[in-house]
Amino acid sequence: MRFSRNATGTVFVGGALSLTLVALAYPAMLGLDKVSTAQDRVIAQTQWGPLTEQDRDFVVKVRAAGLWEYPLGFSGVKNGTTEEVKEAGRHLIDGHAALDAACRKIAPMLNITLPNVASPQQVAFVNQINSSTGREFDSNFANILRITHGSIFNTIAKIRSTTKNSLVRSLADMANNTVLDHITVMEKTGFVNFDQALFQQTTPPKLPDSDLTPPAPQPGEPMVVLSPPANPTSTPIAIPGEQPNGNPAANPSPSPTTG
């Protein structure tokens, strides 16, 4: 992976990955299966509405998704054997750069700490895809990403329909559009095995939380930023009360208080 750092210490990520072979990995909802059973305990009262544990988990997991899918976008562009796979890679880069910017924008507003690396399970997905070549790469790329995007799709809908926090709703709107786009471009590659994908999507193995949870950043660690492509097409997140130029509205309410 290629890293660059700006004057503020922020780390920007780009380029392709070259990683080692791992055993076959089955997506397990990326840790977001917790949403169906997570407590809806309010952890903070904010000017955008109450923030629950599952709201916070959603923001963290959207960020973590980009930390492994964004670099795989570069792998798809570089290693895909068809134009459809390369185009799917470009969509991953564009979509997750925009979602990453949204997460980094709202996280401090909601007092949420974001990870800088993906979960162990997600790293295993990257390893498996990048250890393959040719048509095997195309198949692993399309199927694993179709399964993981399909598994998160229903979770996004649940968050969108239940959260009382307007910032989380805005992120869910954006994530819904992005994930649907990524599902679509993976299917257009022609490599998706739907029987296998739907089976693994709906019957994931039970993995320990440590495999599904991205580690917290170290104190003082610079924030990793997924830089957008030269000509991004994704629409930036709409922040309630924000002016069109991106500046906050006049007389903003106080910052959230943690409960």
mmCIF file of all heavy atoms in Angstrom, residues 7-36:
data_model
loop_
_atom_site.group_PDB
_atom_site.id
_atom_site.type_symbol
_atom_site.label_atom_id
_atom_site.label_comp_id
_atom_site.label_asym_id
_atom_site.label_seq_id
_atom_site.Cartn_x
_atom_site.Cartn_y
_atom_site.Cartn_z
ATOM 1 N N ALA A 7 1.056 18.166 5.418
ATOM 2 C CA ALA A 7 1.739 18.969 6.429
ATOM 3 C C ALA A 7 1.096 18.865 7.799
ATOM 4 O O ALA A 7 1.728 19.135 8.815
ATOM 5 C CB ALA A 7 1.777 20.431 5.983
ATOM 6 N N THR A 8 -0.158 18.463 7.862
ATOM 7 C CA THR A 8 -0.853 18.365 9.148
ATOM 8 C C THR A 8 -0.642 17.018 9.812
ATOM 9 O O THR A 8 -1.118 16.795 10.914
ATOM 10 C CB THR A 8 -2.360 18.584 8.956
ATOM 11 O OG1 THR A 8 -2.889 17.509 8.181
ATOM 12 C CG2 THR A 8 -2.643 19.899 8.271
ATOM 13 N N GLY A 9 0.051 16.104 9.121
ATOM 14 C CA GLY A 9 0.256 14.777 9.688
ATOM 15 C C GLY A 9 -0.789 13.789 9.251
ATOM 16 O O GLY A 9 -0.740 12.616 9.626
ATOM 17 N N THR A 10 -1.770 14.207 8.454
ATOM 18 C CA THR A 10 -2.794 13.295 7.962
ATOM 19 C C THR A 10 -2.184 12.357 6.931
ATOM 20 O O THR A 10 -1.439 12.777 6.055
ATOM 21 C CB THR A 10 -3.954 14.075 7.322
ATOM 22 O OG1 THR A 10 -4.526 14.902 8.315
ATOM 23 C CG2 THR A 10 -5.009 13.129 6.792
ATOM 24 N N VAL A 11 -2.506 11.075 7.025
ATOM 25 C CA VAL A 11 -1.971 10.081 6.100
ATOM 26 C C VAL A 11 -2.982 9.837 4.994
ATOM 27 O O VAL A 11 -4.154 9.568 5.255
ATOM 28 C CB VAL A 11 -1.675 8.759 6.840
ATOM 29 C CG1 VAL A 11 -1.191 7.707 5.862
ATOM 30 C CG2 VAL A 11 -0.637 8.998 7.921
ATOM 31 N N PHE A 12 -2.534 9.920 3.744
ATOM 32 C CA PHE A 12 -3.380 9.642 2.600
ATOM 33 C C PHE A 12 -3.005 8.283 2.028
ATOM 34 O O PHE A 12 -1.821 7.920 1.972
ATOM 35 C CB PHE A 12 -3.216 10.725 1.524
ATOM 36 C CG PHE A 12 -3.797 12.041 1.938
ATOM 37 C CD1 PHE A 12 -3.094 12.898 2.766
ATOM 38 C CD2 PHE A 12 -5.068 12.402 1.533
ATOM 39 C CE1 PHE A 12 -3.637 14.110 3.167
ATOM 40 C CE2 PHE A 12 -5.613 13.613 1.929
ATOM 41 C CZ PHE A 12 -4.895 14.463 2.744
ATOM 42 N N VAL A 13 -4.007 7.517 1.610
ATOM 43 C CA VAL A 13 -3.786 6.167 1.141
ATOM 44 C C VAL A 13 -4.109 6.081 -0.336
ATOM 45 O O VAL A 13 -5.107 6.599 -0.800
ATOM 46 C CB VAL A 13 -4.685 5.165 1.910
ATOM 47 C CG1 VAL A 13 -4.408 3.752 1.453
ATOM 48 C CG2 VAL A 13 -4.449 5.299 3.403
ATOM 49 N N GLY A 14 -3.279 5.380 -1.081
ATOM 50 C CA GLY A 14 -3.551 5.146 -2.488
ATOM 51 C C GLY A 14 -2.693 4.012 -2.977
ATOM 52 O O GLY A 14 -1.816 3.519 -2.284
ATOM 53 N N GLY A 15 -2.931 3.538 -4.203
ATOM 54 C CA GLY A 15 -2.119 2.492 -4.790
ATOM 55 C C GLY A 15 -2.685 1.117 -4.557
ATOM 56 O O GLY A 15 -3.735 0.939 -3.962
ATOM 57 N N ALA A 16 -1.980 0.107 -5.057
ATOM 58 C CA ALA A 16 -2.445 -1.275 -4.990
ATOM 59 C C ALA A 16 -1.771 -2.014 -3.844
ATOM 60 O O ALA A 16 -0.745 -1.594 -3.315
ATOM 61 C CB ALA A 16 -2.144 -1.971 -6.314
ATOM 62 N N LEU A 17 -2.348 -3.150 -3.456
ATOM 63 C CA LEU A 17 -1.808 -3.964 -2.389
ATOM 64 C C LEU A 17 -1.185 -5.229 -2.955
ATOM 65 O O LEU A 17 -1.611 -5.730 -3.984
ATOM 66 C CB LEU A 17 -2.926 -4.375 -1.413
ATOM 67 C CG LEU A 17 -3.592 -3.273 -0.628
ATOM 68 C CD1 LEU A 17 -4.771 -3.850 0.123
ATOM 69 C CD2 LEU A 17 -2.617 -2.673 0.354
ATOM 70 N N SER A 18 -0.178 -5.743 -2.279
ATOM 71 C CA SER A 18 0.407 -7.034 -2.625
ATOM 72 C C SER A 18 0.555 -7.799 -1.328
ATOM 73 O O SER A 18 1.469 -7.552 -0.548
ATOM 74 C CB SER A 18 1.759 -6.866 -3.315
ATOM 75 O OG SER A 18 2.326 -8.133 -3.580
ATOM 76 N N LEU A 19 -0.371 -8.736 -1.070
ATOM 77 C CA LEU A 19 -0.416 -9.409 0.215
ATOM 78 C C LEU A 19 -0.365 -10.916 0.033
ATOM 79 O O LEU A 19 -0.421 -11.434 -1.081
ATOM 80 C CB LEU A 19 -1.673 -8.991 0.981
ATOM 81 C CG LEU A 19 -1.735 -7.511 1.328
ATOM 82 C CD1 LEU A 19 -3.093 -7.159 1.907
ATOM 83 C CD2 LEU A 19 -0.643 -7.123 2.312
ATOM 84 N N THR A 20 -0.257 -11.652 1.125
ATOM 85 C CA THR A 20 -0.036 -13.082 1.085
ATOM 86 C C THR A 20 -1.330 -13.870 1.090
ATOM 87 O O THR A 20 -2.390 -13.369 1.441
ATOM 88 C CB THR A 20 0.803 -13.510 2.292
ATOM 89 O OG1 THR A 20 0.127 -13.108 3.482
ATOM 90 C CG2 THR A 20 2.164 -12.845 2.261
ATOM 91 N N LEU A 21 -1.226 -15.139 0.714
ATOM 92 C CA LEU A 21 -2.374 -16.021 0.619
ATOM 93 C C LEU A 21 -2.913 -16.367 2.002
ATOM 94 O O LEU A 21 -2.165 -16.609 2.932
ATOM 95 C CB LEU A 21 -1.966 -17.311 -0.099
ATOM 96 C CG LEU A 21 -3.029 -18.399 -0.231
ATOM 97 C CD1 LEU A 21 -4.147 -17.909 -1.128
ATOM 98 C CD2 LEU A 21 -2.412 -19.665 -0.794
ATOM 99 N N VAL A 22 -4.234 -16.383 2.127
ATOM 100 C CA VAL A 22 -4.862 -16.868 3.350
ATOM 101 C C VAL A 22 -5.926 -17.873 2.966
ATOM 102 O O VAL A 22 -6.290 -17.999 1.807
ATOM 103 C CB VAL A 22 -5.535 -15.720 4.157
ATOM 104 C CG1 VAL A 22 -4.501 -14.746 4.639
ATOM 105 C CG2 VAL A 22 -6.599 -15.024 3.335
ATOM 106 N N ALA A 23 -6.419 -18.601 3.954
ATOM 107 C CA ALA A 23 -7.473 -19.567 3.697
ATOM 108 C C ALA A 23 -8.750 -18.856 3.266
ATOM 109 O O ALA A 23 -8.926 -17.672 3.511
ATOM 110 C CB ALA A 23 -7.733 -20.387 4.959
ATOM 111 N N LEU A 24 -9.642 -19.617 2.635
ATOM 112 C CA LEU A 24 -10.895 -19.055 2.138
ATOM 113 C C LEU A 24 -11.641 -18.354 3.264
ATOM 114 O O LEU A 24 -11.850 -18.904 4.337
ATOM 115 C CB LEU A 24 -11.776 -20.165 1.564
ATOM 116 C CG LEU A 24 -13.131 -19.739 1.034
ATOM 117 C CD1 LEU A 24 -12.971 -18.806 -0.164
ATOM 118 C CD2 LEU A 24 -13.960 -20.949 0.641
ATOM 119 N N ALA A 25 -12.003 -17.117 3.048
ATOM 120 C CA ALA A 25 -12.717 -16.331 4.068
ATOM 121 C C ALA A 25 -14.168 -16.177 3.664
ATOM 122 O O ALA A 25 -14.479 -15.939 2.504
ATOM 123 C CB ALA A 25 -12.074 -14.960 4.213
ATOM 124 N N TYR A 26 -15.063 -16.315 4.623
ATOM 125 C CA TYR A 26 -16.475 -16.114 4.371
ATOM 126 C C TYR A 26 -16.912 -14.830 5.048
ATOM 127 O O TYR A 26 -16.709 -14.667 6.246
ATOM 128 C CB TYR A 26 -17.307 -17.276 4.932
ATOM 129 C CG TYR A 26 -17.118 -18.564 4.194
ATOM 130 C CD1 TYR A 26 -16.092 -19.430 4.575
ATOM 131 C CD2 TYR A 26 -17.925 -18.913 3.140
ATOM 132 C CE1 TYR A 26 -15.896 -20.624 3.905
ATOM 133 C CE2 TYR A 26 -17.731 -20.105 2.467
ATOM 134 C CZ TYR A 26 -16.722 -20.964 2.856
ATOM 135 O OH TYR A 26 -16.530 -22.135 2.183
ATOM 136 N N PRO A 27 -17.509 -13.914 4.324
ATOM 137 C CA PRO A 27 -17.985 -12.676 4.948
ATOM 138 C C PRO A 27 -18.993 -12.967 6.052
ATOM 139 O O PRO A 27 -19.843 -13.827 5.914
ATOM 140 C CB PRO A 27 -18.644 -11.931 3.780
ATOM 141 C CG PRO A 27 -17.957 -12.482 2.575
ATOM 142 C CD PRO A 27 -17.701 -13.931 2.881
ATOM 143 N N ALA A 28 -18.881 -12.233 7.136
ATOM 144 C CA ALA A 28 -19.773 -12.429 8.279
ATOM 145 C C ALA A 28 -20.424 -11.119 8.677
ATOM 146 O O ALA A 28 -20.384 -10.702 9.811
ATOM 147 C CB ALA A 28 -19.016 -13.034 9.455
ATOM 148 N N MET A 29 -21.047 -10.467 7.717
ATOM 149 C CA MET A 29 -21.793 -9.239 7.975
ATOM 150 C C MET A 29 -20.907 -8.097 8.445
ATOM 151 O O MET A 29 -21.397 -7.083 8.893
ATOM 152 C CB MET A 29 -22.907 -9.455 9.009
ATOM 153 C CG MET A 29 -23.833 -10.614 8.713
ATOM 154 S SD MET A 29 -24.732 -10.477 7.175
ATOM 155 C CE MET A 29 -24.140 -11.911 6.308
ATOM 156 N N LEU A 30 -19.601 -8.271 8.376
ATOM 157 C CA LEU A 30 -18.673 -7.198 8.735
ATOM 158 C C LEU A 30 -18.908 -6.685 10.154
ATOM 159 O O LEU A 30 -18.616 -5.545 10.469
ATOM 160 C CB LEU A 30 -18.789 -6.024 7.743
ATOM 161 C CG LEU A 30 -18.653 -6.397 6.276
ATOM 162 C CD1 LEU A 30 -18.749 -5.149 5.419
ATOM 163 C CD2 LEU A 30 -17.359 -7.121 6.004
ATOM 164 N N GLY A 31 -19.433 -7.539 10.988
ATOM 165 C CA GLY A 31 -19.691 -7.122 12.354
ATOM 166 C C GLY A 31 -20.994 -6.368 12.515
ATOM 167 O O GLY A 31 -21.389 -6.026 13.617
ATOM 168 N N LEU A 32 -21.678 -6.114 11.416
ATOM 169 C CA LEU A 32 -22.894 -5.307 11.488
ATOM 170 C C LEU A 32 -24.136 -6.136 11.768
ATOM 171 O O LEU A 32 -25.228 -5.608 11.851
ATOM 172 C CB LEU A 32 -23.065 -4.511 10.194
ATOM 173 C CG LEU A 32 -22.133 -3.289 10.135
ATOM 174 C CD1 LEU A 32 -22.050 -2.764 8.722
ATOM 175 C CD2 LEU A 32 -22.603 -2.206 11.064
ATOM 176 N N ASP A 33 -23.965 -7.458 11.910
ATOM 177 C CA ASP A 33 -25.099 -8.271 12.335
ATOM 178 C C ASP A 33 -25.520 -7.893 13.746
ATOM 179 O O ASP A 33 -26.609 -8.222 14.187
ATOM 180 C CB ASP A 33 -24.766 -9.758 12.270
ATOM 181 C CG ASP A 33 -23.458 -10.095 12.983
ATOM 182 O OD1 ASP A 33 -22.564 -9.243 13.011
ATOM 183 O OD2 ASP A 33 -23.357 -11.214 13.499
ATOM 184 N N LYS A 34 -24.640 -7.171 14.466
ATOM 185 C CA LYS A 34 -24.964 -6.730 15.819
ATOM 186 C C LYS A 34 -26.149 -5.767 15.858
ATOM 187 O O LYS A 34 -26.800 -5.614 16.877
ATOM 188 C CB LYS A 34 -23.764 -6.022 16.446
ATOM 189 C CG LYS A 34 -22.547 -6.903 16.694
ATOM 190 C CD LYS A 34 -21.446 -6.061 17.297
ATOM 191 C CE LYS A 34 -20.185 -6.870 17.545
ATOM 192 N NZ LYS A 34 -19.110 -6.015 18.114
ATOM 193 N N VAL A 35 -26.421 -5.124 14.736
ATOM 194 C CA VAL A 35 -27.459 -4.100 14.728
ATOM 195 C C VAL A 35 -28.808 -4.676 15.123
ATOM 196 O O VAL A 35 -29.605 -4.028 15.781
ATOM 197 C CB VAL A 35 -27.536 -3.428 13.344
ATOM 198 C CG1 VAL A 35 -28.745 -2.521 13.241
ATOM 199 C CG2 VAL A 35 -26.271 -2.643 13.085
ATOM 200 N N SER A 36 -29.074 -5.937 14.728
ATOM 201 C CA SER A 36 -30.381 -6.520 15.015
ATOM 202 C C SER A 36 -30.566 -6.776 16.508
ATOM 203 O O SER A 36 -31.688 -6.881 16.982
ATOM 204 C CB SER A 36 -30.547 -7.819 14.230
ATOM 205 O OG SER A 36 -29.549 -8.751 14.610
#
